[in-house]
Amino acid sequence: MSSSIGTAPLSLPAIRARVDAEVAAFVAQRRPTLEAISPDLADLLDIVSDGVSGGKRLRAAFVCVGWAGAGGQECDEVYRAAAAMEFLQACALIHDDIMDGSDSRRGLPSAHRRFGDIHRGQTWHGSAEQFGAGGAILAGDLCLSWADEALLTCGLEAQSLARAKPAFDSMRAELMAGQYLDLVEQARGGGDVQRARTVVSYKSARYTIARPLEIGGLLAAADSALLSAYQRYGLRLGEAFQLRDDVLGVFGDSAQTGKPVGDDLREGKQTLLIAATMQLAGPEDADLMRENLGRNDLDASRIERMQQVISESGALAQIEALIASGRDEALEACASVPEPAAGALRELAVAATSRRA
Amino acid sequence: MSSSIGTAPLSLPAIRARVDAEVAAFVAQRRPTLEAISPDLADLLDIVSDGVSGGKRLRAAFVCVGWAGAGGQECDEVYRAAAAMEFLQACALIHDDIMDGSDSRRGLPSAHRRFGDIHRGQTWHGSAEQFGAGGAILAGDLCLSWADEALLTCGLEAQSLARAKPAFDSMRAELMAGQYLDLVEQARGGGDVQRARTVVSYKSARYTIARPLEIGGLLAAADSALLSAYQRYGLRLGEAFQLRDDVLGVFGDSAQTGKPVGDDLREGKQTLLIAATMQLAGPEDADLMRENLGRNDLDASRIERMQQVISESGALAQIEALIASGRDEALEACASVPEPAAGALRELAVAATSRRA
């Protein structure tokens, strides 16, 4: 790929490598101060450090591309600002895993499980589960605190930071709001397509794409025409990105996703894919879905049967069509973005919607 | 009291009133944007709003006094900056109540209980407890996000904010670290006086007093002599403040503390007061403590008996002596602080150590 920020390539792997390095450097810089307080903090730091490692770094990439599209030159500072997104994301994942009771994340034990295991490995008092949840709440809080610290200490000019900080503030509040609305929808048992789309818009589209692009743009003083192209791209691609996630949660290959096949079915996740299935499936199939969604003991054959219902009802095709139209509208918005950022956005649009993990 | 910031009194009630108003205004300003996303967010906002209401506003007060001592003039902006501390504190309390499984806070149901009750009031799916914890994790995350937003949008000059932000960053990280060390100590069953004092230093002394004073001072460009007087005052008074908390957790009047009598004994909290009791009590009394600490079903007569052991062992007197010496050393540090801030610090030192709630 030939797109670049200044001389650096704008490809996702190249950005990921730089962001990984900045994230690791940020944690490494703070580790000695905290470990000097007490050696017991090494566990907290290790789990935070692993929590911010890995991942696709999509949010960071959108900051970098948003910056480049607005004429920002390649520099260490922008990768540091981009790293801020990944601390926020680490908080979201660590806290989300507690809320969902998820035991694994990217194929490894989730943070609350790791803290729980530390407790189990000692002759300690109290419940290992409660210690695990407590440790993970604090690990997430530390990541959340480090997110704005990473942004504001990235070394870009104060003016740049002052432009971007309000968008970062909105991004955080929208994330918490979207997550809360998701909790409510799951509790309600879903079924309302409009409410499901609101959750997707706030929890995913704005949070994953629109706001990071905007933040990158604002850091480099993007004009309002560019910011509005970023927003169109972000909201449409963001929805498509989440819908791909929902499809992977049902049909994904566990070797690639790092999660058991059909995990979303076992969790009973109320997604647009499920809402569409309930609308389109015949009464017997709809009953089968209702009876089995959210059952922890679903076996492989039952999951296969549910996948069949989702597919044969036409819901899967409907969602795939939404993904394709979201991707296409996002690609159209790229026409208002200068090269080489537009090229990078096009590649990211394809990657985000055709990924397998 | 005659101390003042500019023309405004530096008394705790006067500061509290101004900070309460700024906290409420901050939330009110953000409410319409969030409620426009979905009416379901009203519950989240109500619980966050109640979570940041009330309280002693000690941390905010120390920011205001730190500011005044460094020559800062009274202005709305500093009360807004001070309000930031209260958002951080609201996050700490909401998340702490989840970790401890505490059902009440300031005499009202805790945040996770309130979210759980919302779930119970509907015919919703899943566990009300899990929904309650999830909602409260997000409510705390929103408070934590709003803390630095309140600080950085307070309206003080960028230079002032740039001086204070690193201290604010340290304050947050030390809080999370201190809370984690406290979790570990509780799990270990306490008993190590040195480790218990480290917890007190980070979770309480720096967080409640030393850092807020420093932040107020840095906002007003305090010199290093003043900052070091603030630190001496903060660390010593901060320890005394926490020890008073520990005494109130065992001996406090529930009508005043808003918590059941002997709550810390039922929770089995490992405090310096308990560590001292275990050192000083005879073997029979120590056994009695060990057998009963952390039992949820402690009745009034058993709690009275444990109070007697703590008192008759000499541990209570030892801790009261530590409180008094901490307060006295803090009062001595005030000699290096200009009036009227020094007068306010002296009053706060007495209030923080002789309070009943």
Side-chain angles (χ1 to χ4, degrees):
Chain A
M1 170 176 179
S2 60
S3 325
S4 65
I5 314 189
T7 57
L10 270 181
S11 72
L12 191 48
I15 293 175
R16 190 186 293 148
R18 295 294 303 268
V19 169
D20 284 350
E22 292 297 345
V23 164
F26 184 96
V27 176
Q29 213 185 334
R30 277 143 192 86
R31 187 182 274 271
T33 313
L34 288 170
E35 286 189 352
I37 296 175
S38 162
D40 288 332
L41 290 172
D43 288 331
L44 176 66
L45 282 157
D46 288 345
I47 292 173
V48 162
S49 175
D50 291 345
V52 294
S53 297
K56 291 182 281 287
R57 307 298 194 200
L58 269 182
R59 294 160 192 85
F62 283 115
V63 168
C64 294
V65 178
W67 163 267
Q73 292 301 299
E74 202 241 340
C75 57
D76 292 344
E77 289 82 350
V78 76
Y79 293 112
R80 268 181 232 140
M85 307 297 121
E86 303 301 326
F87 283 102
L88 179 55
Q89 170 68 353
C91 167
L93 296 181
I94 291 170
H95 282 179
D96 213 34
D97 285 340
I98 307 170
M99 294 189 255
D100 291 349
S102 303
D103 285 343
S104 69
R105 168 67 61 185
R106 295 174 188 148
L108 295 171
S110 49
H112 61 99
R113 276 300 303 262
R114 287 184 63 187
F115 283 110
D117 289 344
I118 289 169
H119 190 285
R120 277 179 212 100
Q122 308 279 345
T123 50
W124 280 358
H125 301 257
S127 136
E129 280 70 31
Q130 206 175 352
F131 182 86
I137 288 174
L138 293 169
D141 288 349
L142 190 56
C143 290
L144 183 53
S145 301
W146 280 353
D148 75 87
E149 186 175 339
L151 178 61
L152 296 176
T153 60
C154 72
L156 290 174
E157 282 178 15
Q159 266 189 318
S160 290
L161 297 173
R163 277 193 306 265
K165 183 65 171 34
F168 179 77
D169 290 339
S170 298
M171 178 182 177
R172 286 188 300 194
E174 286 165 0
L175 169 63
M176 308 316 167
Q179 298 252 77
Y180 179 72
L181 293 177
D182 194 19
L183 276 189
V184 171
E185 278 314 290
Q186 301 306 320
R188 274 203 186 108
D192 185 302
V193 167
Q194 192 46 51
R195 283 202 305 252
R197 289 188 93 163
T198 300
V199 171
V200 170
S201 173
Y202 285 90
K203 191 185 162 180
S204 302
R206 285 163 213 268
Y207 168 58
T208 305
I209 309 188
R211 290 292 187 190
L213 259 182
E214 182 189 12
I215 288 168
L218 288 167
L219 286 171
D223 62 26
S224 61
L226 182 58
L227 291 173
S228 104
Y230 282 174
Q231 192 178 32
R232 279 200 312 282
Y233 173 95
L235 294 183
R236 292 317 315 276
L237 181 64
E239 181 174 83
F241 173 81
Q242 178 59 47
L243 296 179
R244 171 61 59 224
D245 227 45
D246 296 346
V247 171
L248 288 170
V250 172
F251 295 94
D253 176 352
S254 77
Q256 299 200 40
T257 62
K259 291 195 161 195
V261 177
D263 212 29
D264 282 6
L265 299 175
R266 239 178 248 107
E267 276 184 29
K269 236 182 200 169
Q270 295 296 340
T271 61
L272 259 180
L273 178 62
I274 297 299
T277 304
M278 303 309 279
Q279 271 186 342
L280 296 169
E284 270 181 44
D285 283 347
D287 280 348
L288 179 137
M289 292 296 292
R290 252 188 297 273
E291 278 160 25
N292 288 289
L293 262 177
R295 285 182 51 173
N296 247 323
D297 59 349
L298 292 180
D299 61 14
S301 76
R302 191 55 58 105
I303 284 184
E304 218 169 299
R305 180 72 193 96
M306 293 170 82
Q307 289 174 330
Q308 208 178 11
V309 171
I310 294 167
S311 176
E312 290 176 357
S313 66
L316 178 60
Q318 197 179 72
I319 296 300
E320 288 288 356
L322 261 178
I323 293 174
S325 74
R327 181 200 57 210
D328 291 347
E329 287 182 42
L331 290 172
E332 279 166 36
C334 294
S336 316
V337 177
E339 296 294 349
L345 288 181
R346 284 189 204 98
E347 277 201 33
L348 283 163
V350 174
T353 49
S354 60
R355 67 204 160 88
R356 287 162 183 278
Chain B
M1 173 176 176
S2 60
S3 327
S4 66
I5 311 188
T7 58
L10 270 182
S11 72
L12 190 50
I15 293 174
R16 189 187 293 147
R18 295 294 303 268
V19 169
D20 284 349
E22 292 297 344
V23 165
F26 184 97
V27 177
Q29 212 185 334
R30 277 143 192 86
R31 188 183 272 271
T33 313
L34 288 170
E35 286 190 351
I37 297 175
S38 163
D40 288 333
L41 291 172
D43 288 331
L44 176 66
L45 282 157
D46 289 345
I47 292 173
V48 162
S49 175
D50 291 345
V52 294
S53 298
K56 293 183 279 289
R57 307 299 194 199
L58 269 183
R59 293 159 193 85
F62 283 114
V63 169
C64 294
V65 177
W67 164 266
Q73 291 300 298
E74 202 243 341
C75 57
D76 292 344
E77 289 81 351
V78 75
Y79 293 112
R80 269 182 230 137
M85 307 298 121
E86 303 300 327
F87 283 102
L88 179 56
Q89 169 68 354
C91 167
L93 296 181
I94 291 170
H95 282 178
D96 212 35
D97 285 339
I98 307 171
M99 294 188 255
D100 290 349
S102 303
D103 284 343
S104 69
R105 169 65 62 184
R106 295 173 188 148
L108 295 171
S110 50
H112 62 99
R113 275 302 302 262
R114 287 183 63 186
F115 283 110
D117 289 343
I118 290 169
H119 190 286
R120 277 179 212 101
Q122 309 278 346
T123 50
W124 280 358
H125 301 257
S127 135
E129 279 70 32
Q130 205 174 353
F131 181 86
I137 287 174
L138 293 169
D141 287 350
L142 191 55
C143 290
L144 182 53
S145 300
W146 281 353
D148 74 85
E149 186 176 339
L151 178 62
L152 296 177
T153 61
C154 72
L156 290 174
E157 281 177 16
Q159 265 189 319
S160 291
L161 297 172
R163 278 192 306 264
K165 183 65 171 32
F168 179 77
D169 291 340
S170 298
M171 178 183 177
R172 286 188 300 195
E174 286 164 359
L175 169 63
M176 309 314 168
Q179 299 250 78
Y180 180 72
L181 293 177
D182 194 18
L183 277 188
V184 171
E185 277 316 289
Q186 301 307 318
R188 274 203 185 108
D192 185 303
V193 167
Q194 192 47 49
R195 285 203 303 252
R197 289 189 93 162
T198 299
V199 171
V200 170
S201 174
Y202 285 90
K203 192 186 161 180
S204 303
R206 284 163 213 267
Y207 169 58
T208 304
I209 308 188
R211 289 294 186 188
L213 259 182
E214 181 188 12
I215 289 168
L218 288 167
L219 286 170
D223 63 25
S224 62
L226 182 58
L227 290 172
S228 104
Y230 283 173
Q231 193 179 32
R232 279 200 312 282
Y233 173 95
L235 294 183
R236 292 317 316 275
L237 182 63
E239 181 175 82
F241 173 81
Q242 179 59 47
L243 297 179
R244 169 62 59 224
D245 227 43
D246 295 347
V247 171
L248 288 170
V250 172
F251 293 94
D253 175 352
S254 77
Q256 298 197 42
T257 61
K259 292 195 160 194
V261 177
D263 213 29
D264 282 6
L265 299 175
R266 240 180 247 104
E267 276 183 28
K269 237 181 200 167
Q270 296 295 340
T271 61
L272 259 180
L273 178 63
I274 298 299
T277 303
M278 303 309 280
Q279 272 186 341
L280 296 170
E284 272 180 44
D285 283 346
D287 281 348
L288 179 137
M289 293 297 291
R290 251 188 297 274
E291 278 160 24
N292 288 288
L293 262 178
R295 286 183 51 173
N296 246 322
D297 59 351
L298 291 180
D299 61 14
S301 75
R302 190 57 58 105
I303 285 185
E304 218 170 300
R305 180 74 192 95
M306 294 169 81
Q307 288 173 331
Q308 208 179 12
V309 170
I310 294 168
S311 174
E312 289 176 358
S313 66
L316 178 60
Q318 196 179 74
I319 296 299
E320 288 289 356
L322 261 179
I323 294 174
S325 74
R327 181 200 57 209
D328 292 347
E329 286 182 44
L331 290 172
E332 279 167 35
C334 294
S336 316
V337 177
E339 295 296 347
L345 288 181
R346 285 189 204 99
E347 277 201 34
L348 283 162
V350 174
T353 48
S354 60
R355 68 204 159 87
R356 289 162 182 278

